Amino acid sequence: MTGSTTLMRNPSPKGLPPIPGARPDDHAASERRAADAEMARVLKTKPLRMASDSSSGAIAFWRHEPLHDTVEPMADHVVMAYPAGSQALERRTGRTAAISTARPGVVTIIPAGSTSRWDIHCPMHVVQLYLPQRTLLRIADEANTTNPGDLLERTGHPDAITSRLLLSAADSLEGSATLDTLFRQQLTDLLATRLLAAHAGVAATPQPIIGGLSPSVLRRSIERLRSDSDADVSLSALASDAGLSRFHFCRSFKESTGLSPHAWLRQHRLEQAMDMLRGSDEPVVSIAAALGYSSQTAFAAAFKKLTGETPSDWRRRMR
């Protein structure tokens, strides 16, 4: 599970006293542990899946046993969402305490540098986003927001939008490095925008979209996405080529095409796959490799997700 967390002050519930002497952490940032390392220490296991990007952060999917431990200060914000079930959460931070429920549609936020005691009494699954402060500040700057407030601490806080966005990350690893990286970059920027708007001390409102990309810039962007070479189709490269920030490029590209860069590339790859399946006798495994998928299984799963059929079934029906 991946996550990023912020601090929300809750009155101390009856029967759950605060940790004696505990207080929000004031350690220097250089002394804080990486979020993935601290989660592995506390959860006493490894994530089932994890993907990271140096320009955005990391997303991890965990299954862990009951937890009774103190989370030490981390270098990144951690945001958590819960894919299924219902599980009580008990969290104590300094003189405050919170009892809530982990379930689909809620999020938990641990701000970078904070520390808290956790008690979770049953095994559970969780998706976590590890969000660097630099990413949050970049999004705030690109969105033209002023003085964004610090992230708030949240414990099982209702937020269906953030929960759905984060859970989609665990379900959308398609086995194509190009598609997966582009998706994670877009998703992280979108999540950071949402966190600034809904979970910061001073809510940030992004400026409205003003038009799409110019025809020449849109043409260059699509040529780069269509390239069958080793062209860099990361969000940073696309935005730089367009002379825009990542935030504004994504918004303008969708305004022009109706699709995000990731969705456009995924649709293009699907059309390529259909052309190859219909017009050649190439084995499915060869088509998967030509399109950049890590395996025939990953390609078949991605194809079926979009069409409802396996590549082999679709090929037989179209011939």
Side-chain angles (χ1 to χ4, degrees):
M1 148 184 175
T2 328
S4 164
T5 55
T6 51
L7 188 64
M8 169 178 154
R9 303 299 178 189
N10 299 288
S12 180
K14 192 173 183 178
L16 185 60
I19 305 172
R23 56 183 170 77
D25 181 77
D26 57 1
H27 284 53
S30 61
E31 298 176 359
R32 299 171 186 169
R33 185 180 281 115
D36 59 335
E38 177 61 6
M39 287 293 106
R41 182 192 71 81
V42 170
L43 301 179
K44 297 177 176 59
T45 187
K46 295 180 180 180
L48 300 177
R49 296 196 300 277
M50 182 171 174
S52 62
D53 182 83
S54 59
S55 67
S56 301
I59 294 172
F61 179 50
W62 300 80
R63 182 196 180 282
H64 65 82
E65 297 301 316
L67 165 64
H68 304 281
D69 205 342
T70 297
V71 175
E72 298 295 339
M74 293 178 284
D76 300 326
H77 306 294
V78 178
V79 181
M80 309 186 200
Y82 309 94
S86 178
Q87 174 61 250
L89 303 174
E90 300 176 11
R91 176 186 192 173
R92 284 174 282 176
T93 305
R95 296 181 177 275
T96 67
I99 297 178
S100 190
T101 302
R103 56 180 175 77
V106 307
V107 298
T108 293
I109 300 175
I110 303 171
S114 70
T115 183
S116 50
R117 163 76 186 193
W118 287 84
D119 289 285
I120 302 173
H121 300 280
C122 296
M124 67 183 301
H125 288 84
V126 61
V127 178
Q128 297 178 341
L129 167 68
Y130 308 135
L131 183 69
Q133 174 69 0
R134 65 179 181 276
T135 300
L136 205 62
L137 293 177
R138 173 179 59 79
I139 291 296
D141 179 64
E142 292 177 1
N144 296 323
T145 61
T146 56
N147 300 321
D150 294 335
L151 287 184
L152 301 173
E153 187 174 83
R154 304 293 202 197
T155 307
H157 183 82
D159 182 349
I161 294 174
T162 303
S163 173
R164 185 168 60 250
L165 285 171
L166 186 47
L167 292 178
S168 71
D171 296 332
S172 299
L173 299 181
E174 302 182 30
S176 166
T178 300
L179 279 170
D180 292 349
T181 299
L182 187 55
F183 176 78
R184 286 195 304 274
Q185 291 171 345
Q186 284 183 198
L187 181 68
T188 303
D189 284 9
L190 191 57
L191 279 164
T193 304
R194 173 64 183 173
L195 291 169
L196 287 168
H199 301 287
V202 178
T205 304
Q207 298 298 310
I209 300 172
I210 304 177
L213 300 173
S214 69
S216 60
V217 170
L218 179 61
R219 183 171 59 253
R220 286 203 312 272
S221 298
I222 288 176
E223 287 173 354
R224 181 180 282 269
L225 287 168
R226 278 180 172 158
S227 174
D228 292 327
S229 68
D230 293 330
D232 184 357
V233 294
S234 67
L235 196 52
S236 296
L238 288 163
S240 177
D241 193 40
L244 296 171
S245 68
R246 283 169 46 159
F247 177 85
H248 284 99
F249 174 78
C250 280
R251 288 159 68 90
S252 296
F253 187 93
K254 188 169 185 178
E255 181 76 3
S256 295
T257 66
L259 297 170
S260 69
H262 170 262
W264 192 96
L265 182 57
R266 184 179 60 182
Q267 182 64 31
H268 175 62
R269 291 284 176 86
L270 175 64
E271 291 169 1
Q272 286 182 300
M274 288 177 167
D275 287 343
M276 295 173 75
L277 289 166
R278 185 168 38 217
S280 77
D281 293 320
E282 284 289 315
V284 173
V285 65
S286 299
I287 293 174
L291 293 175
Y293 285 88
S294 60
S295 67
Q296 180 177 342
T297 301
F299 169 61
F303 189 93
K304 186 172 183 179
K305 185 176 181 180
L306 293 173
T307 67
E309 297 178 280
T310 66
S312 297
D313 289 344
W314 187 91
R315 170 182 263 172
R316 280 192 293 269
R317 186 172 62 80
M318 296 303 294
R319 288 185 167 183

